Amino acid sequence: MTPTRSPEAVTLFLAGDVMTGRGIDQILPHPADPHIYESYVRSAKDYVLLAERRNGPIPQPVSFEYVWGDALDELNRRRLDARIINLETAITNSASAEPKGINYKMSPANVGVIRTAGIDCCVLANNHILDWGPSGLLETLHTLNRVGVQFTGAGCDAARATAPAIVDRGNSRLFVFSLACVDSGVPHEWAAGSERPGINLVPALSGDAAEEIIERIHTAVGKKHPVIVSIHWGGNWGYPVPEQHRLFAYRLIDAGCVDVIHGHSSHHAKGIEVYRGKLILYGCGDLINDYEGIEGWEQYRSDLALMYFPAIRTTDGSLAGLEMTPLQIRNMRLNRAARTDVEHLARILNREGKVFGTEVLIETDNTLKLKW
């Protein structure tokens, strides 16, 4: 049964890291130059070979729909007011790689992979969006503008980088703010300046930083609308939630102007909290990546992904419900997760959610539902 859209709530699609560069870009119709500058790998094509070695041949080129796989069915069957992802890939043909060891890029000619999923907003404050320098960032912004996809968290200057994206859906209007923290691996020099392209970087999760964000939200939003603050924070691996992350999220929610904390950076899902009725996702995990076949960190199962579908009440911004759809990355495509993998994700979320007073229930269709 297709859910109906409720005037009392907005229903969102939220995702963690969407990494359509490197190996993913190489299987799409218009791949960029595959040359990369990693210690052991010099061609992005090698990531395709690793995936094929693990799970068999991948037809090439694939369509833009291919990498979304079964996720497209989920997106199309739901009545969604906004679709928001953390795009952790520069969309550029730049050859000026930053000397940081890992550099993600996707050809601008492959931007259809974003459009085909109907993405409304890409949050860009993360540790890969400037992998190909300021020119690569500006080309990314230009490309998203050209195809009508909104973005926030990066810009040609600080004013643009800190400005929200505004998603209009008839009678509803949603504000999305994006910021990144240095503990996610963002270089300090990536911060946008008054005349310098860059991202919305928060040097420290302090009370002063929270107050600055709160003031910016009050100024931009005006009357009450649902507000999402999307934060790229923390390391790639590990389940513990740093105390400074929790306290920072609490400060934003306590101010009465933030309804959802959309956290990402971890390559696997982390515990979920509902604080004063408001949703906190501390780590959404990857949705799309090219890690298939890479050895190391297998215990975290970065091949398992979650699509998050929160319903937010328009009256007070509180969480009306959260459903999640488990998927598995196989052959660089999102496939419905097997029951055993759904049970694995449920165990992890219940173990990590215990300290937050949350648990997940497995529904008959193998989706997950949050209980708090």
Side-chain angles (χ1 to χ4, degrees):
M1 183 175 70
T2 300
T4 58
R5 182 178 287 132
S6 168
E8 290 80 31
V10 293
T11 302
L12 313 174
F13 163 54
L14 298 178
D17 299 358
V18 172
M19 310 172 83
T20 52
R22 215 166 60 175
I24 300 294
D25 176 67
Q26 292 304 304
I27 67 172
L28 292 173
H30 312 289
D33 181 350
H35 187 70
I36 53 179
Y37 301 88
E38 299 178 13
S39 300
Y40 299 102
V41 177
R42 295 297 181 182
S43 173
K45 293 180 181 293
D46 289 343
Y47 286 96
V48 182
L49 297 176
L50 286 172
E52 291 184 321
R53 190 178 303 164
R54 173 66 59 85
N55 289 313
I58 298 171
Q60 297 175 52
V62 301
S63 67
F64 293 139
E65 292 83 4
Y66 173 88
V67 295
W68 293 98
D70 292 333
L72 280 183
D73 291 337
E74 276 297 284
L75 291 172
N76 292 334
R77 81 175 185 87
R78 294 177 180 269
R79 300 281 186 167
L80 299 170
D81 294 284
R83 305 179 184 196
I84 301 164
I85 63 172
N86 172 49
L87 180 63
E88 204 164 5
T89 295
I91 308 175
T92 181
N93 284 314
S94 172
S96 301
E98 290 289 296
K100 60 191 291 284
I102 298 177
N103 305 81
Y104 278 89
K105 74 173 173 182
M106 174 179 74
S107 166
N110 282 334
V111 72
V113 77
I114 305 298
R115 291 293 300 128
T116 199
I119 301 304
D120 295 293
C121 176
C122 293
V123 295
L124 302 181
N126 58 58
N127 62 314
H128 284 293
I129 204 66
L130 268 141
D131 276 358
W132 298 84
S135 62
L137 172 62
L138 293 174
E139 189 173 9
T140 301
L141 305 182
H142 171 75
T143 303
L144 292 174
N145 265 325
R146 176 171 56 81
V147 297
V149 175
Q150 293 198 62
F151 56 84
T152 178
C156 60
D157 55 33
R160 302 289 181 87
T162 57
I166 305 173
V167 181
D168 283 307
R169 283 293 181 268
N171 294 327
S172 65
R173 172 174 274 195
L174 178 76
F175 286 74
V176 186
F177 294 80
S178 170
L179 56 99
C181 306
V182 293
D183 67 358
S184 68
V186 180
H188 285 274
E189 57 269 24
W190 282 18
S194 59
E195 298 181 354
R196 183 180 67 247
I199 69 169
N200 184 16
L201 180 64
V202 177
L205 294 176
S206 63
D208 288 344
E211 288 303 317
E212 183 178 337
I213 294 165
I214 291 164
E215 180 60 31
R216 189 176 299 131
I217 292 171
H218 281 306
T219 300
V221 177
K223 68 178 185 177
K224 181 61 180 175
H225 292 285
V227 172
I228 297 174
V229 174
S230 189
I231 312 179
H232 202 67
W233 55 8
N236 295 151
W237 309 105
Y239 293 103
V241 175
E243 183 180 12
Q244 63 266 33
H245 291 188
R246 294 188 70 178
L247 293 177
F248 194 76
Y250 294 168
R251 286 188 181 107
L252 297 181
I253 292 171
D254 286 340
C257 61
V258 176
D259 303 310
V260 177
I261 301 294
H262 172 219
H264 35 80
S265 180
S266 60
H267 291 316
H268 52 83
K270 300 179 77 168
I272 301 170
E273 184 171 11
V274 179
Y275 173 72
R276 299 184 65 177
K278 305 301 179 71
L279 176 64
I280 305 176
L281 300 171
Y282 286 107
C284 289
D286 291 351
L287 183 67
I288 294 175
N289 65 36
D290 65 351
Y291 294 170
E292 193 176 349
I294 299 176
E295 296 181 350
W297 309 105
E298 286 91 344
Q299 70 269 33
Y300 292 106
R301 295 296 306 273
S302 64
D303 62 312
L304 297 182
L306 281 172
M307 303 174 76
Y308 297 81
F309 299 103
I312 309 301
R313 294 185 181 92
T314 53
T315 51
D316 60 2
S318 63
L319 181 67
L322 172 62
E323 298 178 4
M324 293 160 280
T325 299
L327 301 162
Q328 185 190 32
I329 302 169
R330 190 172 62 254
N331 296 118
M332 292 190 169
R333 179 185 186 274
L334 288 167
N335 306 276
R336 291 193 179 277
R339 178 72 179 195
T340 53
D341 290 329
V342 175
E343 292 170 348
H344 171 80
L345 283 169
R347 284 194 300 271
I348 296 296
L349 290 175
N350 286 333
R351 184 191 71 199
E352 299 304 317
K354 190 172 183 180
V355 68
F356 304 128
T358 61
E359 63 176 310
V360 297
L361 307 176
I362 302 177
E363 303 289 274
T364 55
D365 61 354
N366 274 351
T367 60
L368 301 176
K369 185 175 182 179
L370 188 72
K371 180 181 177 182
W372 70 96

